[in-house]
Amino acid sequence: AQKVTQAQTEISVVEKEDVTLDCVYETRDTTYYLFWYKQPPSGELVFLIRRNSFDEQNEISGRYSWNFQKSTSSFNFTITASQVVDSAVYFCALSLPEGQNFVFGPGTRLSVLP
Amino acid sequence: DAMVIQNPRYQVTQFGKPVTLSCSQTLNHNVMYWYQQKSSQAPKLLFHYYDKDFNNEADTPDNFQSRRPNTSFCFLDIRSPGLGDAAMYLCATSAGSASGMRETQYFGPGTRLLVL
């Protein structure tokens, strides 16, 4: 069975702190994609990153970075120097080969306080 | 520029009164999806179209139907809304592949449905 776990339901940090959102996934497939989406209060899901299961290189995009480790089936997301505008629900998701679903984790609500 | 557009943003309907939500896209993507998202939950896939091929999720109630008259538009019809159908409905699109499931999905802003 495929599953995505985001153990942190809610996180609160003060502006400028670094914060890491955890994502652990389960699948028996060797080919898959992992995603992170941001859902601000407005409701729209905003695509942040897609990672291929064969590419374990970490990625940095501005204040965002992602750590993909197949050995622990984790795809963690770090925001450096957080800002109030980062406040949102963040979803990790798993996409599987043909015929399978696009599986979302339960989401982590991040609150960045001024 | 909006790429996935959903109208209206808020929809109020009465218990049992049919309602239609609409989605359009300017990305020319083959695949269009409808998700239901209830408060503090992850989006739940209802169904998707790969071109004109309709794919229903096993646990999607019969009360939910969809139409895709052309590449750009997709509709969600709720035949007899119940109080439990109040939720955010998200439309998404992705480029076509053999499955349509491995490609990045781009979401619209959602329509929040209220059932009175």
Side-chain angles (χ1 to χ4, degrees):
Chain A
Q2 298 78 34
K3 186 179 177 182
V4 177
T5 301
Q6 295 178 254
Q8 305 146 309
T9 305
E10 293 191 34
I11 301 176
S12 288
V13 298
V14 177
E15 203 169 20
K16 297 184 183 178
E17 287 185 359
D18 299 347
V19 58
T20 295
L21 309 182
D22 298 333
C23 173
V24 174
Y25 62 93
E26 296 176 28
T27 179
R28 293 181 180 177
D29 291 87
T30 56
T31 302
Y32 50 88
Y33 285 87
L34 293 163
F35 299 81
W36 276 96
Y37 284 86
K38 173 183 179 181
Q39 188 173 39
S42 60
E44 181 175 353
L45 276 158
V46 178
F47 166 72
L48 296 178
I49 189 171
R50 181 178 83 174
R51 174 61 72 217
N52 183 314
S53 58
F54 297 109
D55 179 5
E56 286 194 72
Q57 281 192 338
N58 292 328
E59 181 155 340
I60 298 174
S61 176
R63 296 184 298 107
Y64 296 169
S65 62
W66 290 270
N67 183 357
F68 178 29
Q69 296 204 349
K70 289 179 76 171
S71 60
T72 55
S73 296
S74 65
F75 186 43
N76 296 338
F77 172 32
T78 297
I79 302 175
T80 303
S82 60
Q83 300 176 1
V84 173
V85 293
D86 296 327
S87 297
V89 180
Y90 290 85
F91 290 98
C92 180
L94 170 69
S95 179
L96 299 165
E98 185 169 353
Q100 303 296 318
N101 203 344
F102 192 88
V103 181
F104 280 94
T108 296
R109 181 177 299 278
L110 173 65
S111 298
V112 181
L113 307 174
Chain B
D1 292 335
M3 296 182 290
V4 183
I5 303 158
Q6 291 187 246
N7 286 305
R9 294 293 308 277
Y10 298 89
Q11 176 74 57
V12 181
T13 190
Q14 292 179 328
F15 182 93
K17 184 175 181 181
V19 64
T20 294
L21 310 182
S22 69
C23 176
S24 63
Q25 54 130 339
T26 59
L27 297 164
N28 204 33
H29 282 168
N30 297 56
V31 194
M32 295 187 76
Y33 311 79
W34 278 104
Y35 287 85
Q36 179 192 63
Q37 186 180 25
K38 295 190 175 180
S39 183
S40 300
Q41 295 183 19
K44 177 182 181 297
L45 182 65
L46 295 173
F47 25 61
H48 76 276
Y49 275 94
Y50 185 91
D51 290 325
K52 292 187 176 183
D53 293 333
F54 178 69
N55 298 271
N56 199 29
E57 293 300 301
D59 56 354
T60 299
D62 292 340
N63 198 26
F64 291 87
Q65 303 287 322
S66 186
R67 295 170 283 135
R68 189 179 186 186
N70 53 52
T71 300
S72 300
F73 286 87
C74 194
F75 300 99
L76 169 62
D77 301 309
I78 308 176
R79 293 192 295 190
S80 182
L83 298 179
D85 296 328
M88 173 77 88
Y89 289 89
L90 295 163
C91 174
T93 74
S94 68
S97 68
S99 69
M101 286 299 185
R102 283 175 289 179
E103 303 301 324
T104 301
Q105 295 185 26
Y106 296 92
F107 286 80
T111 294
R112 190 170 295 282
L113 178 68
L114 181 63
V115 182
L116 301 177

